[in-house]
Amino acid sequence: MPRFLLALIATLTAFTFALALTARAWSETQRPHPALRGFVEGCDGKPQPCWFGIVPGETSVRDVTDILTRLGYAVSDRAGSMRIYTTLSPSESPGDVTFGIAATDCSAVDCTTVPIQYLYLFDWNLVQLGDVMSALGSPSRVYAGPTEHYLSFGTAHLEVVPRQAWSSPFHPVKTLLLPGMAAFNQRATGQPWRGFVQFGLYCRLEPAFADCD
């Protein structure tokens, strides 16, 4: 292998390692954002991912609606066939919550006892990627979606969709998705998180990433 390529690889490896350490140190010095308290409250003794005691794949529709109502959410007039709940407080984050069930799980008219399969949390009022990391640690994998990139956090399989690239902890977060294990296992394997790097550099480090062509 040419010497300049070896030097480039060594430089990129060292740079990535330094970025990873910086990202970890940064997240450990930040206080968790108050809007993210739901990932702690009501989740003692429950498997992750969990939000205010809601665990996709385990918590029933009835219990989810009871929890959302207690938190100050109401059924949205935009719901249609989807289960969309909107907060009654303009300052509350997330502003919208959507959950769904598998059609095959609902053979009866009353589906309230069926566990939800996923929980989408939208409209985070400028919550940033670094805020999520201060509460949940560093991402473990990066996934390429149809129009967005997703970051997964360890065994919790919580996915974050940044509004922009994920090259900075200051980018606002668009959506937090809590999928059940069955839904998560349908995803591709993704590639390792490499810290806060520009997408071009990430493609050099992980050329197998789906959007690197």
Side-chain angles (χ1 to χ4, degrees):
M1 181 178 295
R3 183 173 300 177
F4 79 91
L5 285 180
L6 291 174
L8 177 61
I9 292 173
T11 300
L12 289 175
T13 301
F15 182 61
T16 303
F17 180 71
L19 284 173
L21 289 179
T22 301
R24 180 176 180 180
W26 187 91
S27 65
E28 289 177 349
T29 59
Q30 303 300 308
R31 284 189 172 186
H33 196 289
L36 300 170
R37 70 187 189 281
F39 293 99
V40 177
E41 293 184 18
C43 293
D44 289 343
K46 292 183 177 293
Q48 294 294 331
C50 172
W51 185 73
F52 283 117
I54 299 173
V55 179
E58 295 190 5
T59 309
S60 69
V61 171
R62 177 187 296 125
D63 290 340
V64 171
T65 55
D66 287 346
I67 291 171
L68 292 178
T69 301
R70 189 166 62 249
L71 291 173
Y73 289 85
V75 177
S76 172
D77 57 6
R78 299 178 288 110
S81 61
M82 297 179 64
R83 292 169 172 83
I84 302 176
Y85 283 70
T86 301
T87 179
L88 302 179
S89 172
S91 61
E92 186 73 16
S93 290
D96 291 303
V97 176
T98 300
F99 63 88
I101 60 176
T104 56
D105 290 343
C106 189
S107 57
V109 176
D110 181 10
C111 300
T112 59
T113 60
V114 174
I116 68 169
Q117 295 301 306
Y118 63 84
L119 188 71
Y120 270 111
L121 309 175
F122 296 93
D123 190 8
W124 282 92
N125 292 330
L126 301 181
V127 171
Q128 299 172 337
L129 177 56
D131 297 323
V132 177
M133 292 176 62
S134 69
L136 303 173
S138 297
S140 56
R141 310 287 290 180
V142 182
Y143 298 84
T147 60
E148 302 274 8
H149 290 162
Y150 299 80
L151 303 176
S152 179
F153 286 76
T155 57
H157 304 316
L158 172 71
E159 297 177 8
V160 173
V161 186
R163 291 187 187 275
Q164 304 177 44
W166 20 269
S167 59
S168 166
F170 302 107
H171 283 312
V173 169
K174 179 179 180 180
T175 307
L176 299 184
L177 164 64
L178 285 71
M181 285 300 299
F184 180 85
N185 288 335
Q186 293 176 2
R187 280 200 175 278
T189 56
Q191 300 298 324
W193 160 255
R194 291 288 195 168
F196 299 119
V197 297
Q198 295 293 332
F199 188 65
L201 177 56
Y202 184 82
C203 285
R204 294 184 187 180
L205 298 169
E206 298 293 339
F209 188 70
D211 285 352
C212 296
D213 49 19

